[in-house]
């Protein structure tokens, strides 16, 4: 999951996750609307979800298409696309390193 509104990357990883058959997952988090849908294949994991995004005292529901790629045992790359009404609002690319 992309950075959540609480500033913590992959906040869903610490929330309610449910593993389903065939590499599928569902998850919830405080700032996610409803249930996120996830799937894994090889070194890739993809989340689709709607996030409550606070901006200047208002909250907007935006959609995320979030892809994570485990490059090796130390590095994960994360690319998320944010959209609203099907219009691409922006991309976020992160890298994580675990010593």
């Amino acid at each position: 999951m992309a950075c959540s509104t609480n500033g913590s990357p992959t906040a869903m990883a610490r929330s309610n996750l449910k593993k389903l058959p065939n590499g599928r997952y569902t998850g919830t988090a405080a700032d996610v609307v409803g249930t996120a849908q996830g799937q894994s294949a090889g070194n890739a994991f993809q989340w689709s979800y709607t996030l409550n995004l606070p901006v200047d005292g208002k909250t907007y529901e935006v959609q995320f298409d979030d892809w994570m790629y485990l490059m090796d045992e130390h590095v994960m790359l994360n690319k998320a696309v944010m959209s609203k009404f099907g219009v691409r609002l922006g991309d976020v690319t992160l890298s994580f390193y675990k010593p």
Side-chain angles (χ1 to χ4, degrees), residues 67-87:
W67 286 85
M68 292 167 255
Y69 302 94
L70 191 60
M71 305 310 290
D72 61 30
E73 64 272 10
H74 300 286
V75 177
M76 183 182 75
L77 300 179
N78 182 194
K79 173 146 177 139
V81 175
M82 181 175 61
S83 62
K84 177 123 178 116
F85 302 122
V87 176

Side-chain angles (χ1 to χ4, degrees), residues 37-69:
Q37 303 296 316
Q39 60 185 4
S40 65
N43 72 325
F45 190 89
Q46 187 260 342
W47 279 119
S48 294
Y49 55 95
T50 299
L51 185 73
N52 280 319
L53 182 66
V55 178
D56 296 331
K58 296 180 183 179
T59 301
Y60 299 92
E61 290 187 4
V62 294
Q63 289 70 49
F64 272 87
D65 184 22
D66 200 347
W67 286 85
M68 292 167 255
Y69 302 94

